[in-house]
Amino acid sequence: MKILAAGDHFVLNSLITEALRRDVAGPAEITELTLPWPLTPFGDVAEVHEANDSEDALIEALEGVEVCVTQMGPFTERVLAASPALRMVAVCRGGPVNVNVEAARARGVKVCFAPGRNAAATAEFTVGMMLAALRRIPQAHNSLALDGEWDASHYTYTRCGPELEDTPVGLIGYGAVGSRVARVLTAFGAEVEVYDPYVRGDVHGMRAKSLQALLSRSSVVTLHARLTPETRRLIGAPELALLPRGSALVNVARGGLLDTDALCDALDSGQLATAALDTYEQEPLPAGSRLRRTPNLLLTPHLGGASRAVARKAARIAAAEVARHARGEPPAHCLT
């Protein structure tokens, strides 16, 4: 079996190859192609999304290949049509948005993915962003390390931030990430409330009957919903107006969940005291973005799912799917 490891600078080819060598029994010829992400941003490539613009290099590397393990490879109609030997694409991410699934299905190509590989990392990062924004850690660091000032005003009542203990925190979305965040916040002693109409059963904290009810009671809101046509700009000016004045908002999910201008307006007016964002409607964030000039806003460049453990988990999950394929067994996570 000929396998292509089409990794990048996060899910390294060395990690993919090591996992394949460990899990795949029998002879396997493994070749490698290194894609440039994250040193160059992902984007739309033909009809697929969040992929590296590398169709030509991928087509060349896929000659005679039966299985490809990748994270950002653009498996477009064109790439699939040019790769007749291909039988499986194992994508090292929670959703294979970089693969034309219908075109793969029509050609008998299995499309596997790696659900949950970054849930723990994203949940940890979310809580870190929340703490940093509420307790104004970046501002204190900048005044001391960059400005050289021992700014005692950070200890005044008006500038020091709230604790999580006894603070009402609303979670919008209760999937793999949201449920982990809820457990951590419960341990902090926060008053956790959850809104997710698609989740049944018990949750950590209270369950809100409506989004509006959750917003009206939450001093901190954190977003964990999937981005769909129904959830795009789920939080806009009307929703932000429902929050108690001086609240905080955290988004480490998808930038499209949030109306950016409405967020900036809420920060400018004081309706929101602070916000922390890791994802944006347009990435990379444009130099002229209003977000860059809005006060009390913590920004990071889509790092929530970036940990070494995530890269290793992703490679292991994908390699396990390849091993099942080699044994003639059905895949565990497959869309075709």
Side-chain angles (χ1 to χ4, degrees), residues 281-305:
E281 289 187 275
Q282 183 180 346
E283 296 183 4
L285 187 64
S289 171
R290 184 180 172 188
L291 292 171
R292 294 178 182 266
R293 358 180 253 281
T294 299
N296 301 317
L297 183 53
L298 173 58
L299 305 176
T300 53
H302 204 149
L303 299 176

mmCIF file of all heavy atoms in Angstrom, residues 281-305:
data_model
loop_
_atom_site.group_PDB
_atom_site.id
_atom_site.type_symbol
_atom_site.label_atom_id
_atom_site.label_comp_id
_atom_site.label_asym_id
_atom_site.label_seq_id
_atom_site.Cartn_x
_atom_site.Cartn_y
_atom_site.Cartn_z
ATOM 1 N N GLU A 281 -14.086 36.625 11.539
ATOM 2 C CA GLU A 281 -14.802 36.374 10.288
ATOM 3 C C GLU A 281 -13.838 36.328 9.114
ATOM 4 O O GLU A 281 -14.030 35.567 8.169
ATOM 5 C CB GLU A 281 -15.860 37.456 10.070
ATOM 6 C CG GLU A 281 -17.044 37.366 11.017
ATOM 7 C CD GLU A 281 -18.133 38.352 10.664
ATOM 8 O OE1 GLU A 281 -18.052 39.521 11.091
ATOM 9 O OE2 GLU A 281 -19.077 37.959 9.940
ATOM 10 N N GLN A 282 -12.804 37.153 9.146
ATOM 11 C CA GLN A 282 -11.775 37.140 8.108
ATOM 12 C C GLN A 282 -10.430 36.879 8.750
ATOM 13 O O GLN A 282 -10.023 37.578 9.680
ATOM 14 C CB GLN A 282 -11.743 38.467 7.346
ATOM 15 C CG GLN A 282 -10.729 38.486 6.206
ATOM 16 C CD GLN A 282 -10.724 39.817 5.459
ATOM 17 O OE1 GLN A 282 -11.635 40.633 5.611
ATOM 18 N NE2 GLN A 282 -9.710 40.032 4.645
ATOM 19 N N GLU A 283 -9.735 35.849 8.286
ATOM 20 C CA GLU A 283 -8.417 35.514 8.815
ATOM 21 C C GLU A 283 -7.427 35.396 7.665
ATOM 22 O O GLU A 283 -7.747 34.803 6.633
ATOM 23 C CB GLU A 283 -8.480 34.203 9.603
ATOM 24 C CG GLU A 283 -9.360 34.296 10.836
ATOM 25 C CD GLU A 283 -9.375 33.020 11.675
ATOM 26 O OE1 GLU A 283 -8.636 32.068 11.348
ATOM 27 O OE2 GLU A 283 -10.126 32.974 12.653
ATOM 28 N N PRO A 284 -6.201 35.951 7.829
ATOM 29 C CA PRO A 284 -5.720 36.737 8.968
ATOM 30 C C PRO A 284 -6.537 38.018 9.168
ATOM 31 O O PRO A 284 -7.143 38.526 8.235
ATOM 32 C CB PRO A 284 -4.269 37.071 8.575
ATOM 33 C CG PRO A 284 -3.904 36.079 7.526
ATOM 34 C CD PRO A 284 -5.167 35.796 6.787
ATOM 35 N N LEU A 285 -6.509 38.527 10.386
ATOM 36 C CA LEU A 285 -7.235 39.738 10.719
ATOM 37 C C LEU A 285 -6.655 40.906 9.921
ATOM 38 O O LEU A 285 -5.461 41.178 9.994
ATOM 39 C CB LEU A 285 -7.121 40.010 12.219
ATOM 40 C CG LEU A 285 -7.969 41.151 12.784
ATOM 41 C CD1 LEU A 285 -9.448 40.834 12.638
ATOM 42 C CD2 LEU A 285 -7.602 41.387 14.244
ATOM 43 N N PRO A 286 -7.473 41.618 9.142
ATOM 44 C CA PRO A 286 -6.946 42.713 8.319
ATOM 45 C C PRO A 286 -6.293 43.802 9.167
ATOM 46 O O PRO A 286 -6.717 44.071 10.303
ATOM 47 C CB PRO A 286 -8.196 43.243 7.614
ATOM 48 C CG PRO A 286 -9.180 42.115 7.653
ATOM 49 C CD PRO A 286 -8.913 41.392 8.930
ATOM 50 N N ALA A 287 -5.277 44.441 8.606
ATOM 51 C CA ALA A 287 -4.544 45.484 9.336
ATOM 52 C C ALA A 287 -5.459 46.637 9.730
ATOM 53 O O ALA A 287 -5.284 47.258 10.778
ATOM 54 C CB ALA A 287 -3.385 45.997 8.474
ATOM 55 N N GLY A 288 -6.458 46.927 8.918
ATOM 56 C CA GLY A 288 -7.353 48.039 9.217
ATOM 57 C C GLY A 288 -8.585 47.656 10.006
ATOM 58 O O GLY A 288 -9.504 48.475 10.149
ATOM 59 N N SER A 289 -8.621 46.447 10.533
ATOM 60 C CA SER A 289 -9.804 45.998 11.260
ATOM 61 C C SER A 289 -10.096 46.888 12.464
ATOM 62 O O SER A 289 -9.198 47.280 13.205
ATOM 63 C CB SER A 289 -9.618 44.557 11.736
ATOM 64 O OG SER A 289 -10.652 44.168 12.620
ATOM 65 N N ARG A 290 -11.367 47.157 12.657
ATOM 66 C CA ARG A 290 -11.788 47.949 13.808
ATOM 67 C C ARG A 290 -11.418 47.268 15.122
ATOM 68 O O ARG A 290 -11.202 47.939 16.143
ATOM 69 C CB ARG A 290 -13.297 48.181 13.733
ATOM 70 C CG ARG A 290 -13.854 49.079 14.829
ATOM 71 C CD ARG A 290 -15.355 49.254 14.673
ATOM 72 N NE ARG A 290 -15.927 49.951 15.812
ATOM 73 C CZ ARG A 290 -17.227 50.100 16.019
ATOM 74 N NH1 ARG A 290 -18.099 49.593 15.140
ATOM 75 N NH2 ARG A 290 -17.669 50.737 17.089
ATOM 76 N N LEU A 291 -11.352 45.954 15.111
ATOM 77 C CA LEU A 291 -11.006 45.213 16.323
ATOM 78 C C LEU A 291 -9.652 45.640 16.885
ATOM 79 O O LEU A 291 -9.441 45.643 18.096
ATOM 80 C CB LEU A 291 -10.983 43.710 16.040
ATOM 81 C CG LEU A 291 -12.325 43.052 15.726
ATOM 82 C CD1 LEU A 291 -12.108 41.624 15.245
ATOM 83 C CD2 LEU A 291 -13.234 43.072 16.944
ATOM 84 N N ARG A 292 -8.733 46.022 16.003
ATOM 85 C CA ARG A 292 -7.387 46.388 16.443
ATOM 86 C C ARG A 292 -7.361 47.708 17.219
ATOM 87 O O ARG A 292 -6.405 47.979 17.936
ATOM 88 C CB ARG A 292 -6.448 46.477 15.234
ATOM 89 C CG ARG A 292 -6.207 45.142 14.531
ATOM 90 C CD ARG A 292 -5.303 45.363 13.332
ATOM 91 N NE ARG A 292 -5.051 44.147 12.576
ATOM 92 C CZ ARG A 292 -4.015 43.348 12.754
ATOM 93 N NH1 ARG A 292 -3.119 43.632 13.681
ATOM 94 N NH2 ARG A 292 -3.851 42.272 12.005
ATOM 95 N N ARG A 293 -8.404 48.533 17.065
ATOM 96 C CA ARG A 293 -8.393 49.834 17.737
ATOM 97 C C ARG A 293 -9.456 49.953 18.818
ATOM 98 O O ARG A 293 -9.674 51.028 19.355
ATOM 99 C CB ARG A 293 -8.601 50.995 16.767
ATOM 100 C CG ARG A 293 -8.726 50.742 15.357
ATOM 101 C CD ARG A 293 -8.937 52.034 14.559
ATOM 102 N NE ARG A 293 -10.289 52.159 14.071
ATOM 103 C CZ ARG A 293 -10.745 51.524 13.016
ATOM 104 N NH1 ARG A 293 -9.956 50.700 12.341
ATOM 105 N NH2 ARG A 293 -11.991 51.709 12.621
ATOM 106 N N THR A 294 -10.110 48.853 19.128
ATOM 107 C CA THR A 294 -11.167 48.887 20.137
ATOM 108 C C THR A 294 -10.569 48.576 21.512
ATOM 109 O O THR A 294 -9.822 47.602 21.649
ATOM 110 C CB THR A 294 -12.261 47.865 19.796
ATOM 111 O OG1 THR A 294 -12.838 48.210 18.526
ATOM 112 C CG2 THR A 294 -13.358 47.854 20.854
ATOM 113 N N PRO A 295 -10.864 49.358 22.517
ATOM 114 C CA PRO A 295 -10.258 49.153 23.837
ATOM 115 C C PRO A 295 -10.835 47.921 24.547
ATOM 116 O O PRO A 295 -11.913 47.440 24.229
ATOM 117 C CB PRO A 295 -10.629 50.427 24.591
ATOM 118 C CG PRO A 295 -11.903 50.887 23.947
ATOM 119 C CD PRO A 295 -11.777 50.522 22.499
ATOM 120 N N ASN A 296 -10.060 47.456 25.530
ATOM 121 C CA ASN A 296 -10.483 46.358 26.407
ATOM 122 C C ASN A 296 -10.800 45.079 25.641
ATOM 123 O O ASN A 296 -11.699 44.317 26.012
ATOM 124 C CB ASN A 296 -11.695 46.779 27.252
ATOM 125 C CG ASN A 296 -11.395 47.989 28.105
ATOM 126 O OD1 ASN A 296 -10.333 48.083 28.711
ATOM 127 N ND2 ASN A 296 -12.323 48.941 28.136
ATOM 128 N N LEU A 297 -10.038 44.850 24.590
ATOM 129 C CA LEU A 297 -10.247 43.682 23.741
ATOM 130 C C LEU A 297 -8.946 42.897 23.628
ATOM 131 O O LEU A 297 -7.921 43.436 23.210
ATOM 132 C CB LEU A 297 -10.721 44.132 22.352
ATOM 133 C CG LEU A 297 -11.054 43.059 21.325
ATOM 134 C CD1 LEU A 297 -12.047 42.052 21.862
ATOM 135 C CD2 LEU A 297 -11.593 43.717 20.058
ATOM 136 N N LEU A 298 -8.987 41.630 24.014
ATOM 137 C CA LEU A 298 -7.826 40.736 23.949
ATOM 138 C C LEU A 298 -7.922 39.920 22.672
ATOM 139 O O LEU A 298 -8.933 39.250 22.419
ATOM 140 C CB LEU A 298 -7.817 39.821 25.180
ATOM 141 C CG LEU A 298 -6.778 38.694 25.227
ATOM 142 C CD1 LEU A 298 -5.364 39.238 25.126
ATOM 143 C CD2 LEU A 298 -6.957 37.888 26.510
ATOM 144 N N LEU A 299 -6.878 39.956 21.842
ATOM 145 C CA LEU A 299 -6.871 39.286 20.544
ATOM 146 C C LEU A 299 -5.718 38.302 20.451
ATOM 147 O O LEU A 299 -4.575 38.640 20.799
ATOM 148 C CB LEU A 299 -6.727 40.314 19.412
ATOM 149 C CG LEU A 299 -7.740 41.461 19.370
ATOM 150 C CD1 LEU A 299 -7.380 42.436 18.254
ATOM 151 C CD2 LEU A 299 -9.146 40.931 19.177
ATOM 152 N N THR A 300 -6.000 37.093 19.965
ATOM 153 C CA THR A 300 -4.949 36.114 19.660
ATOM 154 C C THR A 300 -5.224 35.536 18.268
ATOM 155 O O THR A 300 -6.375 35.489 17.827
ATOM 156 C CB THR A 300 -4.904 34.980 20.697
ATOM 157 O OG1 THR A 300 -6.209 34.397 20.838
ATOM 158 C CG2 THR A 300 -4.431 35.492 22.047
ATOM 159 N N PRO A 301 -4.187 35.076 17.553
ATOM 160 C CA PRO A 301 -4.336 34.679 16.149
ATOM 161 C C PRO A 301 -4.717 33.212 15.954
ATOM 162 O O PRO A 301 -3.951 32.409 15.438
ATOM 163 C CB PRO A 301 -2.954 34.991 15.565
ATOM 164 C CG PRO A 301 -2.019 34.754 16.705
ATOM 165 C CD PRO A 301 -2.766 35.191 17.941
ATOM 166 N N HIS A 302 -5.924 32.832 16.376
ATOM 167 C CA HIS A 302 -6.491 31.494 16.166
ATOM 168 C C HIS A 302 -5.539 30.404 16.681
ATOM 169 O O HIS A 302 -5.089 29.533 15.943
ATOM 170 C CB HIS A 302 -6.795 31.259 14.683
ATOM 171 C CG HIS A 302 -7.855 30.220 14.465
ATOM 172 N ND1 HIS A 302 -8.717 30.250 13.400
ATOM 173 C CD2 HIS A 302 -8.194 29.105 15.171
ATOM 174 C CE1 HIS A 302 -9.536 29.209 13.451
ATOM 175 N NE2 HIS A 302 -9.226 28.507 14.522
ATOM 176 N N LEU A 303 -5.285 30.462 17.982
ATOM 177 C CA LEU A 303 -4.348 29.546 18.627
ATOM 178 C C LEU A 303 -5.013 28.520 19.532
ATOM 179 O O LEU A 303 -4.336 27.679 20.113
ATOM 180 C CB LEU A 303 -3.350 30.343 19.494
ATOM 181 C CG LEU A 303 -2.461 31.359 18.789
ATOM 182 C CD1 LEU A 303 -1.620 32.095 19.813
ATOM 183 C CD2 LEU A 303 -1.576 30.665 17.762
ATOM 184 N N GLY A 304 -6.344 28.591 19.668
ATOM 185 C CA GLY A 304 -7.015 27.778 20.670
ATOM 186 C C GLY A 304 -6.737 26.298 20.574
ATOM 187 O O GLY A 304 -6.611 25.606 21.594
ATOM 188 N N GLY A 305 -6.644 25.770 19.373
ATOM 189 C CA GLY A 305 -6.418 24.340 19.206
ATOM 190 C C GLY A 305 -4.971 23.965 18.998
ATOM 191 O O GLY A 305 -4.675 22.826 18.601
#
